[in-house]
Amino acid sequence: MSDCIFCKIISGDIPATKVYEDAGFLAFLDIHPVSPGHTLVIPKQHYDRFETTPPEVVAELYKLLRSIAVSIAAGAGADAFNLGVNNGPAAGQVIFHTHVHVIPRKPKDGLESWGSRDYEGTEMDEVAKKIRAAIKQSAASRE
Ligand code: 5GP
Ligand code: ZN
């Protein structure tokens, strides 16, 4: 994708501080880190978001994360990390090339998790029902 920043990083047209690379994937430091060592792990093929990324690529991506995320955190002096995907504009996605954030975390590092709320009345059951139906419909459409 010619206008994609991450594709330009893959092609070398834009510089990046790379920490891992193989034939299919690249990991490089986020230019505006949440914490030191904040890394983005991306497939080299362009897909704009989670649901347009082939399941096998998602599987390979998370297999790679399983192998390098601990070392990314360790290299940053941390033994904890958040894995994050901002999927879609409402979720804060700004770069439309599939990527996973690895954010090293330390005790009392001052970072806050997202907030939480309580369900009201039958809301929890209702939303669960709709989610089950959506999953069923999606599975049926794949058959
Ligand atoms: P998201 O789309 O998940 O919200 O975040 C995209 C991330 O990409 C941001 O955290 C942002 O700092 C990072 N980013 C955007 N442009 C560049 C760039 O040119 N180089 C690097 N290394 N990171 C970038
Ligand atoms: Zn791209």
Side-chain angles (χ1 to χ4, degrees), residues 50-100:
F50 190 75
E51 62 268 46
T52 55
T53 307
E56 52 279 12
V57 175
V58 173
E60 284 301 312
L61 177 57
Y62 276 83
K63 204 169 152 191
L64 173 61
L65 285 161
R66 173 66 179 81
S67 118
I68 66 173
V70 168
S71 303
I72 290 169
D79 66 358
F81 54 86
N82 292 113
L83 292 183
V85 176
N86 301 327
N87 192 55
Q93 184 177 6
V94 293
I95 304 289
F96 288 84
H97 180 125
T98 294
H99 58 279
V100 178

Side-chain angles (χ1 to χ4, degrees), residues 112-128:
E112 288 181 22
S113 302
W114 48 50
S116 64
R117 45 157 284 174
D118 292 323
Y119 280 114
E120 283 167 18
T122 57
E123 190 187 7
M124 191 178 190
D125 286 338
E126 283 166 19
V127 74

Side-chain angles (χ1 to χ4, degrees), residues 32-51:
H32 296 302
V34 170
S35 67
H38 179 172
T39 298
L40 301 171
V41 184
I42 66 174
K44 286 189 171 174
Q45 269 212 284
H46 179 92
Y47 304 103
D48 63 348
R49 52 189 282 171
F50 190 75
E51 62 268 46

Side-chain angles (χ1 to χ4, degrees), residues 2 6 9 11 13 22 25 28 34 38 44 50 56 67-68 71 74 83 89 94 97 100 102 105 108 129 138:
S2 57
F6 287 180
I9 286 174
S11 66
D13 293 327
D22 63 27
F25 297 90
F28 57 97
V34 170
H38 179 172
K44 286 189 171 174
F50 190 75
E56 52 279 12
S67 118
I68 66 173
S71 303
L83 292 183
V94 293
H97 180 125
V100 178
V102 182
R105 298 295 304 271
K108 298 187 183 139
K129 204 170 157 185
S138 155

